[in-house]
mmCIF file of all heavy atoms in Angstrom:
data_model
loop_
_atom_site.group_PDB
_atom_site.id
_atom_site.type_symbol
_atom_site.label_atom_id
_atom_site.label_comp_id
_atom_site.label_asym_id
_atom_site.label_seq_id
_atom_site.Cartn_x
_atom_site.Cartn_y
_atom_site.Cartn_z
ATOM 1 N N TYR A 1 0.900 -1.178 0.011
ATOM 2 C CA TYR A 1 0.003 0.057 -0.003
ATOM 3 C C TYR A 1 0.936 1.353 0.024
ATOM 4 O O TYR A 1 1.874 1.291 0.757
ATOM 5 C CB TYR A 1 -0.883 -0.036 1.253
ATOM 6 C CG TYR A 1 -1.658 -1.224 1.399
ATOM 7 C CD1 TYR A 1 -1.499 -1.943 2.593
ATOM 8 C CD2 TYR A 1 -2.666 -1.670 0.489
ATOM 9 C CE1 TYR A 1 -2.206 -3.148 2.883
ATOM 10 C CE2 TYR A 1 -3.415 -2.807 0.736
ATOM 11 C CZ TYR A 1 -3.163 -3.506 1.969
ATOM 12 O OH TYR A 1 -3.849 -4.767 2.218
ATOM 13 N N ARG A 2 0.664 2.154 -0.864
ATOM 14 C CA ARG A 2 1.605 3.303 -0.998
ATOM 15 C C ARG A 2 0.898 4.554 -1.303
ATOM 16 O O ARG A 2 -0.263 4.571 -1.740
ATOM 17 C CB ARG A 2 2.685 2.917 -2.061
ATOM 18 C CG ARG A 2 2.075 2.641 -3.487
ATOM 19 C CD ARG A 2 1.750 3.856 -4.243
ATOM 20 N NE ARG A 2 1.368 3.556 -5.659
ATOM 21 C CZ ARG A 2 0.586 4.318 -6.214
ATOM 22 N NH1 ARG A 2 -0.075 5.337 -5.710
ATOM 23 N NH2 ARG A 2 0.233 4.020 -7.614
ATOM 24 N N ALA A 3 1.581 5.661 -1.043
ATOM 25 C CA ALA A 3 1.223 6.996 -1.585
ATOM 26 C C ALA A 3 2.454 7.810 -1.743
ATOM 27 O O ALA A 3 3.644 7.336 -1.344
ATOM 28 C CB ALA A 3 0.325 7.646 -0.460
ATOM 29 N N ALA A 4 2.329 8.948 -2.157
ATOM 30 C CA ALA A 4 3.558 9.880 -2.229
ATOM 31 C C ALA A 4 3.242 11.318 -2.005
ATOM 32 O O ALA A 4 2.035 11.798 -2.399
ATOM 33 C CB ALA A 4 4.168 9.871 -3.739
ATOM 34 N N TYR A 5 3.886 11.998 -1.127
ATOM 35 C CA TYR A 5 3.582 13.301 -0.587
ATOM 36 C C TYR A 5 4.772 14.190 -0.800
ATOM 37 O O TYR A 5 5.993 13.859 -0.681
ATOM 38 C CB TYR A 5 3.182 13.297 0.894
ATOM 39 C CG TYR A 5 2.181 12.283 1.277
ATOM 40 C CD1 TYR A 5 2.323 11.075 1.636
ATOM 41 C CD2 TYR A 5 0.737 12.797 1.265
ATOM 42 C CE1 TYR A 5 1.323 10.167 1.985
ATOM 43 C CE2 TYR A 5 -0.199 11.910 1.559
ATOM 44 C CZ TYR A 5 0.110 10.606 1.952
ATOM 45 O OH TYR A 5 -1.000 9.715 2.322
ATOM 46 N N ASP A 6 4.455 15.591 -0.919
ATOM 47 C CA ASP A 6 5.421 16.525 -0.856
ATOM 48 C C ASP A 6 5.437 17.078 0.566
ATOM 49 O O ASP A 6 4.685 16.637 1.393
ATOM 50 C CB ASP A 6 5.320 17.681 -1.861
ATOM 51 C CG ASP A 6 3.974 18.441 -1.712
ATOM 52 O OD1 ASP A 6 3.393 18.302 -0.688
ATOM 53 O OD2 ASP A 6 3.562 19.136 -2.644
ATOM 54 N N PHE A 7 6.289 18.177 0.906
ATOM 55 C CA PHE A 7 6.397 18.534 2.314
ATOM 56 C C PHE A 7 5.244 19.441 2.759
ATOM 57 O O PHE A 7 5.198 19.812 3.917
ATOM 58 C CB PHE A 7 7.765 19.349 2.402
ATOM 59 C CG PHE A 7 8.809 18.427 2.922
ATOM 60 C CD1 PHE A 7 9.332 17.458 2.230
ATOM 61 C CD2 PHE A 7 9.360 18.597 4.205
ATOM 62 C CE1 PHE A 7 10.408 16.559 2.729
ATOM 63 C CE2 PHE A 7 10.337 17.836 4.722
ATOM 64 C CZ PHE A 7 10.812 16.788 4.029
ATOM 65 N N SER A 8 4.289 19.690 1.905
ATOM 66 C CA SER A 8 3.021 20.277 2.190
ATOM 67 C C SER A 8 1.929 19.302 2.404
ATOM 68 O O SER A 8 0.741 19.691 2.610
ATOM 69 C CB SER A 8 2.694 21.347 1.169
ATOM 70 O OG SER A 8 3.595 22.484 1.025
ATOM 71 N N LEU A 9 2.265 18.031 2.409
ATOM 72 C CA LEU A 9 1.420 16.861 2.386
ATOM 73 C C LEU A 9 0.338 16.903 1.197
ATOM 74 O O LEU A 9 -0.692 16.344 1.378
ATOM 75 C CB LEU A 9 0.641 16.880 3.774
ATOM 76 C CG LEU A 9 1.497 16.497 4.979
ATOM 77 C CD1 LEU A 9 0.591 16.487 6.161
ATOM 78 C CD2 LEU A 9 2.180 15.227 4.760
ATOM 79 N N ASN A 10 0.769 17.498 0.110
ATOM 80 C CA ASN A 10 -0.045 17.338 -1.171
ATOM 81 C C ASN A 10 0.264 15.865 -1.717
ATOM 82 O O ASN A 10 1.388 15.442 -1.665
ATOM 83 C CB ASN A 10 0.348 18.322 -2.201
ATOM 84 C CG ASN A 10 0.100 19.814 -1.640
ATOM 85 O OD1 ASN A 10 -0.944 20.032 -1.233
ATOM 86 N ND2 ASN A 10 0.983 20.611 -1.807
ATOM 87 N N GLU A 11 -0.717 15.277 -2.263
ATOM 88 C CA GLU A 11 -0.532 13.965 -2.709
ATOM 89 C C GLU A 11 0.050 13.929 -4.009
ATOM 90 O O GLU A 11 -0.592 14.422 -5.055
ATOM 91 C CB GLU A 11 -1.795 13.117 -2.719
ATOM 92 C CG GLU A 11 -2.360 12.553 -1.395
ATOM 93 C CD GLU A 11 -3.475 11.720 -1.519
ATOM 94 O OE1 GLU A 11 -4.137 11.594 -2.593
ATOM 95 O OE2 GLU A 11 -3.722 10.894 -0.559
ATOM 96 N N ILE A 12 1.241 13.464 -4.235
ATOM 97 C CA ILE A 12 1.821 13.368 -5.609
ATOM 98 C C ILE A 12 1.353 12.070 -6.322
ATOM 99 O O ILE A 12 1.182 12.021 -7.435
ATOM 100 C CB ILE A 12 3.374 13.199 -5.465
ATOM 101 C CG1 ILE A 12 3.962 14.376 -4.682
ATOM 102 C CG2 ILE A 12 4.036 13.179 -6.930
ATOM 103 C CD1 ILE A 12 3.807 15.743 -5.229
ATOM 104 N N MET A 13 1.092 11.132 -5.373
ATOM 105 C CA MET A 13 0.547 9.809 -5.938
ATOM 106 C C MET A 13 -0.557 9.440 -4.860
ATOM 107 O O MET A 13 -0.303 9.562 -3.572
ATOM 108 C CB MET A 13 1.442 8.596 -5.976
ATOM 109 C CG MET A 13 2.616 8.957 -6.990
ATOM 110 S SD MET A 13 3.780 7.555 -6.980
ATOM 111 C CE MET A 13 2.910 6.286 -7.960
ATOM 112 N N ASN A 14 -1.727 9.081 -5.268
ATOM 113 C CA ASN A 14 -2.846 8.730 -4.423
ATOM 114 C C ASN A 14 -2.575 7.410 -3.601
ATOM 115 O O ASN A 14 -1.734 6.675 -4.077
ATOM 116 C CB ASN A 14 -4.166 8.484 -5.085
ATOM 117 C CG ASN A 14 -4.588 9.810 -5.724
ATOM 118 O OD1 ASN A 14 -4.370 10.897 -5.301
ATOM 119 N ND2 ASN A 14 -5.353 9.644 -6.922
ATOM 120 N N GLU A 15 -3.238 7.178 -2.539
ATOM 121 C CA GLU A 15 -3.052 6.063 -1.737
ATOM 122 C C GLU A 15 -3.817 4.893 -2.586
ATOM 123 O O GLU A 15 -4.956 4.821 -2.893
ATOM 124 C CB GLU A 15 -3.877 6.024 -0.473
ATOM 125 C CG GLU A 15 -3.381 7.132 0.461
ATOM 126 C CD GLU A 15 -3.993 7.139 1.872
ATOM 127 O OE1 GLU A 15 -5.070 6.275 2.003
ATOM 128 O OE2 GLU A 15 -3.686 7.806 2.729
ATOM 129 N N GLU A 16 -2.909 3.832 -2.917
ATOM 130 C CA GLU A 16 -3.349 2.700 -3.722
ATOM 131 C C GLU A 16 -2.560 1.377 -3.409
ATOM 132 O O GLU A 16 -1.348 1.582 -2.999
ATOM 133 C CB GLU A 16 -3.351 2.934 -5.157
ATOM 134 C CG GLU A 16 -4.289 4.095 -5.732
ATOM 135 C CD GLU A 16 -4.010 4.331 -7.262
ATOM 136 O OE1 GLU A 16 -3.064 3.810 -7.782
ATOM 137 O OE2 GLU A 16 -4.975 4.801 -7.805
ATOM 138 N N PRO A 17 -3.111 0.363 -3.531
ATOM 139 C CA PRO A 17 -2.215 -0.821 -3.558
ATOM 140 C C PRO A 17 -1.493 -0.967 -4.883
ATOM 141 O O PRO A 17 -2.043 -0.558 -6.005
ATOM 142 C CB PRO A 17 -3.164 -2.017 -3.514
ATOM 143 C CG PRO A 17 -4.502 -1.506 -4.019
ATOM 144 C CD PRO A 17 -4.477 0.002 -3.743
ATOM 145 N N GLU A 18 -0.182 -1.574 -4.844
ATOM 146 C CA GLU A 18 0.585 -1.641 -6.002
ATOM 147 C C GLU A 18 1.464 -2.869 -5.965
ATOM 148 O O GLU A 18 2.058 -3.123 -4.785
ATOM 149 C CB GLU A 18 1.404 -0.404 -6.281
ATOM 150 C CG GLU A 18 2.352 -0.603 -7.488
ATOM 151 C CD GLU A 18 2.963 0.771 -7.978
ATOM 152 O OE1 GLU A 18 2.299 1.889 -7.529
ATOM 153 O OE2 GLU A 18 3.858 0.828 -8.622
ATOM 154 N N VAL A 19 1.492 -3.622 -7.012
ATOM 155 C CA VAL A 19 2.461 -4.724 -7.083
ATOM 156 C C VAL A 19 3.689 -4.153 -7.657
ATOM 157 O O VAL A 19 3.833 -3.642 -8.749
ATOM 158 C CB VAL A 19 1.889 -5.850 -8.015
ATOM 159 C CG1 VAL A 19 2.904 -6.942 -8.230
ATOM 160 C CG2 VAL A 19 0.576 -6.439 -7.565
ATOM 161 N N LEU A 20 4.735 -4.267 -6.871
ATOM 162 C CA LEU A 20 6.024 -3.714 -7.188
ATOM 163 C C LEU A 20 6.729 -4.309 -8.421
ATOM 164 O O LEU A 20 6.790 -5.597 -8.511
ATOM 165 C CB LEU A 20 7.073 -3.773 -5.996
ATOM 166 C CG LEU A 20 6.525 -2.901 -4.816
ATOM 167 C CD1 LEU A 20 7.483 -3.177 -3.633
ATOM 168 C CD2 LEU A 20 6.441 -1.424 -5.056
ATOM 169 N N CYS A 21 7.355 -3.525 -9.252
ATOM 170 C CA CYS A 21 8.107 -3.964 -10.444
ATOM 171 C C CYS A 21 9.148 -2.977 -10.773
ATOM 172 O O CYS A 21 9.125 -1.900 -10.105
ATOM 173 C CB CYS A 21 7.188 -4.403 -11.614
ATOM 174 S SG CYS A 21 6.467 -2.928 -12.453
ATOM 175 N N LYS A 22 9.868 -3.231 -11.808
ATOM 176 C CA LYS A 22 10.972 -2.240 -12.107
ATOM 177 C C LYS A 22 10.354 -0.813 -12.637
ATOM 178 O O LYS A 22 11.070 0.005 -12.552
ATOM 179 C CB LYS A 22 11.947 -2.776 -13.111
ATOM 180 C CG LYS A 22 11.285 -3.145 -14.584
ATOM 181 C CD LYS A 22 12.342 -3.740 -15.448
ATOM 182 C CE LYS A 22 11.681 -3.983 -16.802
ATOM 183 N NZ LYS A 22 11.213 -2.721 -17.498
ATOM 184 N N ASP A 23 9.199 -0.963 -13.038
ATOM 185 C CA ASP A 23 8.531 0.226 -13.577
ATOM 186 C C ASP A 23 7.865 1.019 -12.445
ATOM 187 O O ASP A 23 7.185 2.143 -12.783
ATOM 188 C CB ASP A 23 7.588 0.030 -14.694
ATOM 189 C CG ASP A 23 8.417 -0.481 -15.994
ATOM 190 O OD1 ASP A 23 9.531 0.018 -16.172
ATOM 191 O OD2 ASP A 23 7.861 -1.332 -16.701
ATOM 192 N N SER A 24 7.757 0.527 -11.378
ATOM 193 C CA SER A 24 7.005 1.289 -10.234
ATOM 194 C C SER A 24 7.704 2.538 -9.989
ATOM 195 O O SER A 24 8.975 2.640 -9.909
ATOM 196 C CB SER A 24 7.100 0.333 -8.900
ATOM 197 O OG SER A 24 6.291 -0.709 -9.125
ATOM 198 N N PHE A 25 6.888 3.570 -9.821
ATOM 199 C CA PHE A 25 7.350 4.989 -9.550
ATOM 200 C C PHE A 25 8.279 5.556 -10.621
ATOM 201 O O PHE A 25 9.029 6.430 -10.461
ATOM 202 C CB PHE A 25 8.042 4.970 -8.212
ATOM 203 C CG PHE A 25 7.348 4.377 -7.066
ATOM 204 C CD1 PHE A 25 7.677 3.032 -6.636
ATOM 205 C CD2 PHE A 25 6.304 5.005 -6.510
ATOM 206 C CE1 PHE A 25 7.004 2.503 -5.636
ATOM 207 C CE2 PHE A 25 5.589 4.444 -5.391
ATOM 208 C CZ PHE A 25 5.813 3.163 -5.014
ATOM 209 N N LYS A 26 7.999 5.025 -11.888
ATOM 210 C CA LYS A 26 9.010 5.511 -12.963
ATOM 211 C C LYS A 26 8.751 7.068 -13.195
ATOM 212 O O LYS A 26 9.661 7.751 -13.701
ATOM 213 C CB LYS A 26 8.700 4.753 -14.154
ATOM 214 C CG LYS A 26 7.374 4.819 -14.861
ATOM 215 C CD LYS A 26 7.212 4.013 -16.112
ATOM 216 C CE LYS A 26 5.819 3.996 -16.720
ATOM 217 N NZ LYS A 26 5.733 3.156 -17.974
ATOM 218 N N ASP A 27 7.565 7.494 -12.980
ATOM 219 C CA ASP A 27 7.335 8.913 -13.082
ATOM 220 C C ASP A 27 8.037 9.821 -12.132
ATOM 221 O O ASP A 27 8.140 10.991 -12.248
ATOM 222 C CB ASP A 27 5.783 9.254 -12.900
ATOM 223 C CG ASP A 27 4.984 8.725 -14.148
ATOM 224 O OD1 ASP A 27 5.610 8.395 -15.158
ATOM 225 O OD2 ASP A 27 3.767 8.502 -13.905
ATOM 226 N N LEU A 28 8.561 9.160 -11.094
ATOM 227 C CA LEU A 28 9.251 9.912 -10.078
ATOM 228 C C LEU A 28 10.917 9.708 -10.185
ATOM 229 O O LEU A 28 11.566 10.287 -9.556
ATOM 230 C CB LEU A 28 8.918 9.430 -8.569
ATOM 231 C CG LEU A 28 7.481 9.475 -8.207
ATOM 232 C CD1 LEU A 28 7.277 9.075 -6.856
ATOM 233 C CD2 LEU A 28 6.982 10.931 -8.327
ATOM 234 N N HIS A 29 11.317 8.959 -11.084
ATOM 235 C CA HIS A 29 12.704 8.510 -11.292
ATOM 236 C C HIS A 29 13.525 9.767 -11.576
ATOM 237 O O HIS A 29 14.676 9.768 -11.240
ATOM 238 C CB HIS A 29 12.838 7.472 -12.405
ATOM 239 C CG HIS A 29 12.487 6.074 -11.923
ATOM 240 N ND1 HIS A 29 12.620 5.001 -12.716
ATOM 241 C CD2 HIS A 29 11.906 5.668 -10.812
ATOM 242 C CE1 HIS A 29 12.248 4.023 -12.002
ATOM 243 N NE2 HIS A 29 11.718 4.295 -10.792
ATOM 244 N N ASN A 30 13.066 10.667 -12.334
ATOM 245 C CA ASN A 30 13.811 11.903 -12.752
ATOM 246 C C ASN A 30 13.342 13.136 -12.103
ATOM 247 O O ASN A 30 13.629 14.188 -12.549
ATOM 248 C CB ASN A 30 13.756 12.071 -14.205
ATOM 249 C CG ASN A 30 14.380 10.868 -15.091
ATOM 250 O OD1 ASN A 30 15.473 10.417 -14.595
ATOM 251 N ND2 ASN A 30 13.661 10.281 -16.088
ATOM 252 N N ALA A 31 12.521 12.901 -11.010
ATOM 253 C CA ALA A 31 12.057 14.057 -10.413
ATOM 254 C C ALA A 31 13.052 14.407 -9.286
ATOM 255 O O ALA A 31 14.138 14.156 -9.186
ATOM 256 C CB ALA A 31 10.659 13.813 -9.777
ATOM 257 N N ARG A 32 12.471 15.155 -8.125
ATOM 258 C CA ARG A 32 13.337 15.454 -7.003
ATOM 259 C C ARG A 32 13.648 14.234 -6.298
ATOM 260 O O ARG A 32 13.223 13.101 -6.562
ATOM 261 C CB ARG A 32 12.455 16.401 -6.120
ATOM 262 C CG ARG A 32 12.193 17.660 -6.877
ATOM 263 C CD ARG A 32 10.980 18.433 -6.550
ATOM 264 N NE ARG A 32 9.968 17.971 -5.565
ATOM 265 C CZ ARG A 32 8.653 18.134 -5.782
ATOM 266 N NH1 ARG A 32 8.272 18.458 -7.004
ATOM 267 N NH2 ARG A 32 7.793 17.684 -4.945
ATOM 268 N N LYS A 33 14.491 14.293 -5.238
ATOM 269 C CA LYS A 33 14.869 13.176 -4.431
ATOM 270 C C LYS A 33 13.688 12.487 -3.825
ATOM 271 O O LYS A 33 12.790 13.103 -3.394
ATOM 272 C CB LYS A 33 15.740 13.638 -3.322
ATOM 273 C CG LYS A 33 16.353 12.484 -2.355
ATOM 274 C CD LYS A 33 17.147 12.953 -1.268
ATOM 275 C CE LYS A 33 18.414 13.665 -1.789
ATOM 276 N NZ LYS A 33 19.333 14.035 -0.533
ATOM 277 N N VAL A 34 13.609 11.171 -3.891
ATOM 278 C CA VAL A 34 12.480 10.348 -3.395
ATOM 279 C C VAL A 34 12.925 9.661 -2.241
ATOM 280 O O VAL A 34 13.972 8.913 -2.324
ATOM 281 C CB VAL A 34 11.900 9.429 -4.521
ATOM 282 C CG1 VAL A 34 10.821 8.711 -4.089
ATOM 283 C CG2 VAL A 34 11.630 10.222 -5.863
ATOM 284 N N ILE A 35 12.106 9.776 -1.045
ATOM 285 C CA ILE A 35 12.537 9.047 0.114
ATOM 286 C C ILE A 35 11.504 7.809 0.282
ATOM 287 O O ILE A 35 10.269 8.203 0.562
ATOM 288 C CB ILE A 35 12.559 9.913 1.270
ATOM 289 C CG1 ILE A 35 13.302 11.279 1.100
ATOM 290 C CG2 ILE A 35 13.027 9.283 2.584
ATOM 291 C CD1 ILE A 35 14.711 11.031 0.768
ATOM 292 N N PHE A 36 11.897 6.611 0.190
ATOM 293 C CA PHE A 36 11.056 5.538 0.426
ATOM 294 C C PHE A 36 11.131 5.081 1.864
ATOM 295 O O PHE A 36 12.272 4.906 2.363
ATOM 296 C CB PHE A 36 11.439 4.303 -0.487
ATOM 297 C CG PHE A 36 11.409 4.633 -2.078
ATOM 298 C CD1 PHE A 36 12.520 4.996 -2.778
ATOM 299 C CD2 PHE A 36 10.092 4.671 -2.638
ATOM 300 C CE1 PHE A 36 12.292 5.316 -4.116
ATOM 301 C CE2 PHE A 36 9.991 4.859 -3.897
ATOM 302 C CZ PHE A 36 11.073 5.280 -4.731
ATOM 303 N N VAL A 37 9.963 4.805 2.526
ATOM 304 C CA VAL A 37 9.961 4.544 3.935
ATOM 305 C C VAL A 37 8.938 3.366 4.164
ATOM 306 O O VAL A 37 8.005 3.175 3.500
ATOM 307 C CB VAL A 37 9.687 5.700 4.776
ATOM 308 C CG1 VAL A 37 10.818 6.839 4.641
ATOM 309 C CG2 VAL A 37 8.315 6.352 4.537
ATOM 310 N N GLY A 38 9.231 2.694 5.269
ATOM 311 C CA GLY A 38 8.257 1.687 5.694
ATOM 312 C C GLY A 38 8.667 0.226 5.429
ATOM 313 O O GLY A 38 9.584 0.034 4.579
ATOM 314 N N ASN A 39 7.961 -0.619 5.881
ATOM 315 C CA ASN A 39 8.278 -2.109 5.652
ATOM 316 C C ASN A 39 8.068 -2.491 4.224
ATOM 317 O O ASN A 39 8.676 -3.502 3.813
ATOM 318 C CB ASN A 39 7.699 -3.020 6.640
ATOM 319 C CG ASN A 39 6.182 -2.929 6.567
ATOM 320 O OD1 ASN A 39 5.543 -2.323 5.763
ATOM 321 N ND2 ASN A 39 5.474 -3.760 7.514
ATOM 322 N N GLY A 40 7.191 -1.929 3.572
ATOM 323 C CA GLY A 40 6.943 -2.091 2.048
ATOM 324 C C GLY A 40 8.124 -1.654 1.267
ATOM 325 O O GLY A 40 8.341 -2.202 0.218
ATOM 326 N N ALA A 41 8.737 -0.656 1.697
ATOM 327 C CA ALA A 41 9.889 -0.045 0.889
ATOM 328 C C ALA A 41 11.085 -0.833 0.882
ATOM 329 O O ALA A 41 11.865 -1.012 -0.068
ATOM 330 C CB ALA A 41 10.188 1.400 1.411
ATOM 331 N N GLU A 42 11.290 -1.587 1.891
ATOM 332 C CA GLU A 42 12.510 -2.357 2.125
ATOM 333 C C GLU A 42 12.715 -3.447 1.028
ATOM 334 O O GLU A 42 13.724 -3.657 0.575
ATOM 335 C CB GLU A 42 12.530 -3.002 3.600
ATOM 336 C CG GLU A 42 12.647 -1.941 4.603
ATOM 337 C CD GLU A 42 12.415 -2.451 6.028
ATOM 338 O OE1 GLU A 42 12.317 -3.762 6.169
ATOM 339 O OE2 GLU A 42 11.967 -1.666 6.861
ATOM 340 N N LYS A 43 11.531 -4.091 0.571
ATOM 341 C CA LYS A 43 11.700 -5.084 -0.450
ATOM 342 C C LYS A 43 11.699 -4.499 -1.804
ATOM 343 O O LYS A 43 11.787 -5.277 -2.779
ATOM 344 C CB LYS A 43 10.479 -6.049 -0.272
ATOM 345 C CG LYS A 43 9.042 -5.494 -0.470
ATOM 346 C CD LYS A 43 8.062 -6.521 -0.187
ATOM 347 C CE LYS A 43 6.643 -6.045 -0.371
ATOM 348 N NZ LYS A 43 5.583 -7.014 -0.056
ATOM 349 N N PHE A 44 11.663 -3.269 -1.972
ATOM 350 C CA PHE A 44 11.673 -2.545 -3.214
ATOM 351 C C PHE A 44 13.019 -2.139 -3.637
ATOM 352 O O PHE A 44 13.375 -1.850 -4.800
ATOM 353 C CB PHE A 44 10.724 -1.227 -3.237
ATOM 354 C CG PHE A 44 10.707 -0.537 -4.553
ATOM 355 C CD1 PHE A 44 10.317 -1.277 -5.722
ATOM 356 C CD2 PHE A 44 10.923 0.809 -4.600
ATOM 357 C CE1 PHE A 44 10.279 -0.640 -6.971
ATOM 358 C CE2 PHE A 44 10.798 1.478 -5.722
ATOM 359 C CZ PHE A 44 10.425 0.772 -6.878
ATOM 360 N N LYS A 45 14.023 -2.218 -2.755
ATOM 361 C CA LYS A 45 15.406 -1.771 -2.970
ATOM 362 C C LYS A 45 15.998 -2.507 -4.187
ATOM 363 O O LYS A 45 16.666 -1.742 -4.975
ATOM 364 C CB LYS A 45 16.235 -2.149 -1.720
ATOM 365 C CG LYS A 45 16.325 -0.922 -0.746
ATOM 366 C CD LYS A 45 17.339 -1.259 0.229
ATOM 367 C CE LYS A 45 17.540 -0.007 1.199
ATOM 368 N NZ LYS A 45 18.729 -0.277 2.120
#
């Protein structure tokens, strides 16, 4: 289960379930620094 927020807590990505793959978060790959957190993030490394 994931979402993405900026520092004003605006949703960059809505809260949704996602099956992780190499293309996950590809829209964020060339954006600002992305901080992945939580026990779901650990298996995405």
Side-chain angles (χ1 to χ4, degrees):
Y1 305 122
R2 57 79 173 152
Y5 303 93
D6 64 17
F7 264 65
S8 296
L9 290 181
N10 298 311
E11 284 191 342
I12 307 298
M13 299 177 74
N14 295 334
E15 295 186 359
E16 290 181 347
E18 178 163 339
V19 178
L20 297 173
C21 67
K22 64 181 181 64
D23 291 327
S24 295
F25 309 104
K26 64 180 180 180
D27 291 340
L28 303 181
H29 285 185
N30 296 313
R32 296 151 356 225
K33 184 184 295 183
V34 182
I35 312 298
F36 297 99
V37 300
N39 60 5
E42 294 165 16
K43 62 186 180 182
F44 184 51
K45 268 188 173 182

